């Protein structure tokens, strides 16, 4: 992608020009048939270029805008009824419009400009464009739905520590950040993250925090930052202290209702299996190689013991 390339160039050839773009633009069809992506530079430039990168394809330029005259030059086969660019009123920004929007227009859009008096083209971090198809309701809740898991008594006794796990489900899109803090502290704690996994048309992800036995009497919270047009503030999921956790879990103040015991146990099992598969892949690879070696050893032993017909010695009977 262009992002790592731009980073490498900036390290090898430090430049002063900076371009800024929003990380995500999500558009719902058919309510909005077009998308507008913005780009801002911190100094005067002659041209701003726009590129699109789609998975499995090379990045391609769509057009460039001459800032002095506001003239747009489109790359073939782009037409004015599909993409257009305009200079911002401040003279340091530019907006790209993607018209007649379709699902196939999804991708990461980059703006770029040449650093003055140099041959280096500087790229912004890029904006991911997500087009929600018409079959999704505009009123559908696409924010993360949390389920919490508290430390077990057995883990505390054996490990002298406890693990809080936060499972987030049924969210869209997949851009999400998860942090952990103590309830009354702003310090970000060291936590672990699982992979974001797709489940039909939505996504799920889990994160877990392991704390010492001495910290189990404190309340912790899982802070979720999700790029959704419905979620304007960070979602905070409160985890009670281990003493409070022994009480009825339904009394815990949480943004979302907790699931039933049956559902919780089921999802905890799935999460545990996922963790085991992730952390023991090397072990299973070793087991497969060992079994393969045993099979070859058995075949060799049969051949040596005196059953050449099974081994194919090249002679017909």
């Amino acid at each position: 992608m262009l992002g790592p390339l731009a980073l490498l160039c900036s390290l090898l050839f430090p430049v002063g020009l900076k371009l800024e773009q929003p990380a995500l633009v999500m558009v719902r069809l058919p309510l909005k048939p077009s998308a507008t992506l913005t780009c801002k530079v911190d100094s005067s430039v002659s041209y701003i270029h726009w590129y699109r990168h789609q998975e499995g394809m090379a990045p391609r330029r769509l057009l460039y805008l001459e800032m002095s005259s506001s003239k747009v030059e489109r790359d073939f086969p782009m037409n004015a009824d599909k993409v257009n660019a305009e200079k911002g009123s401040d003279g340091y920004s530019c907006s790209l419009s993607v018209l007649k929007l379709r699902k196939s227009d999804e991708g990461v859009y980059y703006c770029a400009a040449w650093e003055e008096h140099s041959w280096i083209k500087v790229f912004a971090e890029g904006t991911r464009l997500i087009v929600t198809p018409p079959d999704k309701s505009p009123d559908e809740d696409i924010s993360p739905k949390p389920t919490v898991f508290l430390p077990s008594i057995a883990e505390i006794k054996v490990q002298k520590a406890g693990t809080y796990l936060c499972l987030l489900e049924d969210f869209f899109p997949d851009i999400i950040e998860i942090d952990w803090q103590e309830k009354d502290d702003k310090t970000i704690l060291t936590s672990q993250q699982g992979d974001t996994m797709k489940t039909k048309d939505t996504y799920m992800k889990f994160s877990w925090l392991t704390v010492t036995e001495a910290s189990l009497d404190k309340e912790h919270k899982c802070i979720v930052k999700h790029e959704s047009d419905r979620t304007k503030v960070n979602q905070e999921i409160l985890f009670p202290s281990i003493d409070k956790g022994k009480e009825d879990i339904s009394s815990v103040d949480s943004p979302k209702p907790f699931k039933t015991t049956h559902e919780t146990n089921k999802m905890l099992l799935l999460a545990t299996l996922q963790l085991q598969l992730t952390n023991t892949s090397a072990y299973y690879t070793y087991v497969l190689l060992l079994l393969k070696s045993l099979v070859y050893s058995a075949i060799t032993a049969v051949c040596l013991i005196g059953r050449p017909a099974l081994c194919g010695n090249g002679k017909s009977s």
Side-chain angles (χ1 to χ4, degrees):
M1 291 180 63
L2 291 173
L5 178 60
L7 176 61
L8 177 61
C9 290
S10 66
L11 292 175
L12 296 177
F13 311 100
V15 293
L17 181 64
K18 293 183 180 179
L19 298 93
E20 296 181 357
Q21 292 182 249
L24 174 73
V25 169
M26 187 168 63
V27 179
R28 291 180 179 271
L29 294 178
L31 297 180
K32 294 181 65 178
S34 64
T36 301
L37 295 77
T38 60
C39 173
K40 186 173 183 179
V41 295
D42 65 349
S43 60
S44 178
V45 295
S46 299
Y47 301 91
I48 292 182
H49 304 253
W50 282 94
Y51 292 78
R52 179 176 65 193
H53 179 253
Q54 295 177 307
E55 188 174 358
M57 301 176 63
R60 61 169 300 177
R61 191 176 67 174
L62 304 177
L63 54 78
Y64 65 89
L65 172 69
E66 185 176 357
M67 297 295 284
S68 60
S69 64
S70 297
K71 181 180 178 181
V72 178
E73 291 288 344
R74 299 172 183 82
D75 287 33
F76 181 82
M78 294 298 165
N79 299 316
D81 63 347
K82 185 59 181 177
V83 292
N84 191 33
E86 294 183 356
K87 183 176 70 173
S89 58
D90 57 4
Y92 292 93
S93 61
C94 172
S95 62
L96 174 73
S97 298
V98 184
L99 310 172
K100 298 181 179 179
L101 201 61
R102 296 181 296 179
K103 184 72 174 176
S104 58
D105 292 319
E106 286 189 332
V108 182
Y109 290 75
Y110 296 89
C111 65
W114 289 99
E115 170 75 2
E116 189 176 3
H117 307 306
S118 76
W119 51 271
I120 299 175
K121 181 179 282 188
V122 182
F123 287 86
E125 291 295 323
T127 298
R128 182 179 175 186
L129 174 62
I130 295 178
V131 181
T132 304
D135 57 351
K136 279 190 173 293
S137 170
D139 298 325
E140 183 178 356
D141 184 6
I142 55 176
S143 61
K145 318 301 184 301
T147 304
V148 305
F149 306 104
L150 301 179
S152 67
I153 301 301
E155 178 190 12
I156 297 172
K157 288 183 178 180
V158 175
Q159 303 295 335
K160 302 302 180 182
T163 300
Y164 296 97
L165 190 146
C166 181
L167 174 66
L168 301 162
E169 301 175 277
D170 301 329
F171 60 87
F172 182 90
D174 59 337
I175 301 176
I176 189 171
E177 294 181 19
I178 306 173
D179 290 319
W180 291 81
Q181 295 176 341
E182 290 183 4
K183 181 182 177 182
D184 299 320
D185 194 342
K186 299 298 183 181
T187 304
I188 301 297
L189 303 175
T190 301
S191 60
Q192 303 296 323
Q193 307 281 329
D195 294 332
T196 303
M197 296 171 284
K198 189 170 185 178
T199 56
K200 295 184 179 180
D201 295 329
T202 59
Y203 294 89
M204 65 174 290
K205 185 182 181 70
F206 56 86
S207 175
W208 65 99
L209 173 71
T210 301
V211 301
T212 62
E213 188 176 21
S215 297
L216 289 173
D217 61 343
K218 301 177 182 178
E219 294 180 295
H220 294 79
K221 58 184 179 180
C222 177
I223 303 170
V224 181
K225 304 174 185 178
H226 181 238
E227 296 286 352
S228 164
D229 60 349
R230 291 178 63 101
T231 306
K232 303 303 181 183
V233 295
N234 295 339
Q235 185 178 5
E236 295 187 359
I237 300 132
L238 183 64
F239 283 71
S241 66
I242 193 61
D243 291 331
K244 293 182 180 179
K246 295 176 184 178
E247 303 171 2
D248 184 7
I249 197 170
S250 62
S251 65
V252 179
D253 182 18
S254 172
K256 301 289 180 181
F258 291 95
K259 298 193 174 185
T260 64
T261 302
H262 174 74
E263 292 174 318
T264 298
N265 291 337
K266 179 180 178 181
M267 294 310 301
L268 178 58
L269 176 61
L270 292 176
T272 303
L273 289 175
Q274 175 68 19
L275 291 175
Q276 291 175 342
L277 289 174
T278 302
N279 295 328
T280 61
S281 58
Y283 169 77
Y284 288 119
T285 301
Y286 171 78
V287 171
L288 290 174
L289 290 174
L290 180 61
L291 291 175
K292 183 178 179 180
S293 177
L294 291 175
V295 171
Y296 282 134
S297 298
I299 294 175
T300 302
V302 170
C303 293
L304 293 176
I305 289 173
R307 301 185 65 180
L310 294 177
C311 303
N313 58 6
K315 297 181 180 179
S316 58
S317 57

